[in-house]
Amino acid sequence: AVMEAVNDQQHVVALSTKNGWSTPSTCMQSLSQQSSSSDLGNPPSYNMSPSLCFLAPTGTKGDLLPLLNGAVDVVETDGLNAVFLSQPCFADIVKERMSRSSKFRQSEDSQIKKLKWCCTTHSCSRLPEPLIEQDGSEKQTIAFSLEKMVFQSDGGGRLVFLWARPTKGSCNDADYRTPFSVNGGGDTVNYGEFLGNWKACLGYVKYAELSKHAQFVTSHSGRPAKVAKLDKAMGIRSSLVVRLGSTCLADPLAHQPELQNLKNFYAMSSTLAPTVLPLHSHVIYPHPAIEKHGVLSEQPHIFKPDPIPENVRTFLEQMQTIVVTISSFGQVKNVAKMFPASCEFQVLFLGSSCQSDPDPSHMHYKGMLDLDMVFQKAALIVHGCGVGTVHQVALSGKPSIGLSGLLEQECNGVALEKMRVSKHFTLRSLYSDPCVVKAFIEAVMGCIQGAASFIDRHKLLEVQEKVQKEHGAAFGAFTDRVRKVLQQP
């Protein structure tokens, strides 16, 4: 069936069953039969469709989780009806979180729809400064499947999760970037395909799942100019942008939100935020008046923490343990080699799939664990200096060592070091300079032996108390901002 879309004058084809959706099993059966019929019908009543969409199309899980935590809290608090879209590579993370929710229950079985959507093409230069150009004369038809899960909250809210999986390419940002390297990386490759896939997905979602004037709340760490170009290429307009990385403090007019083209919510700690940003071409001193609302971390009253697995718990209780969480870099195997052999401590590597570590005092755990619970049992935490991670480290009150691979993480690590609650190293220097390796070993042994001169125990407690106060206010501020978004015409 071919249905002309509202406003966009584009076309959608759905191979489906009842109401256009099917369970995974019936979907596979209908596709194998090459069904060409559909009950897609007219778009749903705009009065019944959600008027709010949370969208996390780019970045890592560190860009996804704060928006997910905020969305869940808003929907539960205000009883809203909303849609949440993210990269399909993070679908399992979202499902794991929602399975632990004490406030939401899945109200429908997971469903899948097979679609085609016609949209304009885009060409892109290499990032970090994107040149996104629309070719208005050329159209393309994108085929994709759309997975849907629906959760109902105890407060009457409804949260619909959607993940698009195109037949060609993907909707995963990392699939269109060169691998991370301490010497650079992360450049985009064939990014026009990525944008086209998202435009097709969002074109259908706007047509079939959202109200006519739905508002978009997105999460981004890139510069505002880049965010605006991505919005345009994907066919949306962000009404509120959750700003996550500390380099976002370099946003033009960040201290004068009334003058910004995009409305931003700075989801970061005012206590832990860096006061100096040594960018590649110049140094920026963020304006002290920039309103930083706090980190949108996981709420224990919504997501029940899973207990620590027995084998991990037994390991943690054997002796002093260093907990390492730098999995997003894919650098665990390299970092593991930096730790000295010692009978005084052992090391737990989180999010690690390494299976070839010969050191018997090292444990690698691939699954997800509650960091707050694990950190409480750590003698020392070694982390990647992301905004969310340093927040959890600060809440634990434990000494730490930061290993940064990107500029934003370096800024965070240096800020903690200046507060005398952590020591910071860049991965590049750790891999290339024997003197830095020696300093890293000395820092590790100093913390384990309680003699680290770079750690001020009084400062650890002071920072912990300040961050705890911020922690309680972040979600209220986010809910207030979303309410204002929904009041916009």
Side-chain angles (χ1 to χ4, degrees):
V2 178
M3 184 66 61
E4 186 173 350
V6 178
N7 297 329
D8 292 338
Q9 295 185 343
Q10 298 164 341
H11 296 84
V12 59
V13 177
L15 307 179
S16 54
T17 59
K18 184 179 179 182
N19 297 324
W21 291 98
S22 62
T23 62
S25 58
T26 58
C27 178
M28 290 303 102
Q29 181 180 5
S30 66
L31 289 178
S32 65
Q33 297 172 350
Q34 295 297 306
S35 170
S36 59
S37 63
S38 172
D39 296 325
L40 186 62
N42 294 320
S45 167
Y46 283 132
N47 292 329
M48 299 295 292
S49 301
S51 58
L52 180 62
C53 180
F54 297 93
L55 174 63
T58 61
T60 66
K61 67 178 182 181
D63 298 279
L64 162 75
L65 291 178
L67 188 66
L68 174 63
N69 295 331
V72 167
D73 188 75
V74 167
V75 170
E76 164 61 19
T77 301
D78 284 5
L80 298 178
N81 188 7
V83 169
F84 192 103
L85 286 97
S86 67
Q87 301 172 64
C89 61
F90 299 130
D92 288 344
I93 292 178
V94 174
K95 293 174 184 179
E96 187 275 334
R97 291 294 193 280
M98 296 306 296
S99 71
R100 292 192 284 107
S101 175
S102 59
K103 300 291 185 178
F104 285 80
R105 64 188 183 279
Q106 188 174 346
S107 59
E108 300 176 15
D109 291 336
S110 177
Q111 299 172 310
I112 294 177
K113 179 183 286 186
K114 193 75 173 180
L115 302 159
K116 291 182 180 179
W117 192 267
C118 182
C119 60
T120 54
T121 61
H122 289 81
S123 61
C124 301
S125 66
R126 297 173 66 184
L127 295 181
E129 291 298 331
L131 176 61
I132 302 173
E133 298 177 342
Q134 178 173 311
D135 185 352
S137 63
E138 186 176 349
K139 301 283 185 177
Q140 61 180 341
T141 299
I142 308 291
F144 61 96
S145 64
L146 192 66
E147 181 182 2
K148 179 178 183 177
M149 293 186 73
V150 181
F151 288 84
Q152 197 79 27
S153 79
D154 294 343
R158 184 172 182 265
L159 192 54
V160 177
F161 291 95
L162 299 170
W163 296 281
R165 295 177 175 87
T167 303
K168 180 182 179 183
S170 77
C171 285
N172 297 324
D173 190 26
D175 292 341
Y176 296 88
R177 294 186 183 275
T178 56
F180 169 81
S181 167
V182 294
N183 296 314
D187 292 327
T188 57
V189 179
N190 197 23
Y191 213 61
E193 180 180 90
F194 172 77
L195 295 174
N197 288 339
W198 267 108
K199 186 168 188 178
C201 165
L202 290 167
Y204 173 77
V205 169
K206 288 191 297 180
Y207 163 73
E209 295 288 337
L210 295 171
S211 65
K212 187 175 182 180
H213 300 293
Q215 306 288 344
F216 281 84
V217 178
T218 60
S219 63
H220 289 284
S221 299
R223 295 183 180 183
K226 171 187 170 182
V227 174
K229 291 176 182 177
L230 288 173
D231 271 11
K232 184 177 180 180
M234 294 182 182
I236 67 163
R237 183 181 67 85
S238 296
S239 299
L240 180 65
V241 182
V242 179
R243 306 293 279 149
L244 298 167
S246 59
T247 51
C248 296
L249 298 175
D251 289 352
L253 305 174
H255 64 293
Q256 295 178 292
E258 69 279 1
L259 300 179
Q260 292 179 329
N261 292 325
L262 292 171
K263 303 304 179 184
N264 297 322
F265 180 92
Y266 294 92
M268 59 192 74
S269 165
S270 59
T271 300
L272 305 176
T275 56
V276 180
L277 301 175
L279 305 183
H280 297 298
S281 58
H282 57 288
V283 176
I284 288 181
Y285 298 88
H287 199 289
I290 298 174
E291 190 172 9
K292 297 174 280 292
H293 301 280
V295 176
L296 297 170
S297 57
E298 187 173 301
Q299 292 280 73
H301 73 277
I302 291 181
F303 296 116
K304 296 177 294 185
D306 273 339
I308 300 174
E310 189 62 34
N311 62 327
V312 177
R313 182 181 296 277
T314 300
F315 182 82
L316 288 168
E317 292 174 351
Q318 287 176 354
M319 66 169 68
Q320 290 192 97
T321 304
I322 300 173
V323 175
V324 180
T325 171
I326 57 169
S327 58
S328 60
F329 294 135
Q331 299 294 305
V332 171
K333 190 173 182 179
N334 293 329
V335 171
K337 300 174 184 177
M338 303 293 173
F339 287 92
S342 174
C343 59
E344 296 183 60
F345 67 88
Q346 58 187 6
V347 189
L348 171 63
F349 297 90
L350 300 180
S352 171
S353 57
C354 177
Q355 298 179 348
S356 58
D357 191 336
D359 194 325
S361 66
H362 291 181
M363 179 179 187
H364 295 262
Y365 187 82
K366 186 176 181 180
M368 292 178 286
L369 295 177
D370 184 271
L371 290 184
D372 292 334
M373 295 173 66
V374 176
F375 285 174
Q376 286 305 315
K377 294 183 176 293
L380 170 66
I381 301 167
V382 177
H383 56 88
C385 302
V387 166
T389 305
V390 298
H391 175 259
Q392 288 181 287
V393 171
L395 283 174
S396 74
K398 297 298 181 74
S400 70
I401 295 175
L403 304 179
S404 65
L406 303 172
L407 174 61
E408 185 262 331
Q409 295 150 351
E410 182 177 346
C411 293
N412 298 333
V414 171
L416 293 184
E417 187 172 85
K418 288 182 177 179
M419 296 178 202
R420 299 194 64 196
V421 297
S422 180
K423 185 72 174 176
H424 170 258
F425 301 93
T426 65
L427 286 175
R428 178 186 295 182
S429 64
L430 195 61
Y431 292 169
S432 61
D433 190 339
C435 293
V436 176
V437 175
K438 181 181 178 181
F440 172 74
I441 293 173
E442 290 174 350
V444 168
M445 297 308 300
C447 287
I448 292 298
Q449 296 168 357
S453 60
F454 57 87
I455 295 293
D456 185 326
R457 297 285 173 175
H458 296 292
K459 280 289 185 180
L460 277 175
L461 181 60
E462 179 184 328
V463 169
Q464 181 186 37
E465 291 175 347
K466 287 182 178 180
V467 173
Q468 285 174 340
K469 291 179 181 178
E470 294 174 352
H471 184 56
F475 286 90
F478 183 67
T479 299
D480 288 344
R481 289 294 296 274
V482 173
R483 288 170 180 163
K484 291 178 181 178
V485 164
L486 292 174
Q487 292 170 1
Q488 296 176 5

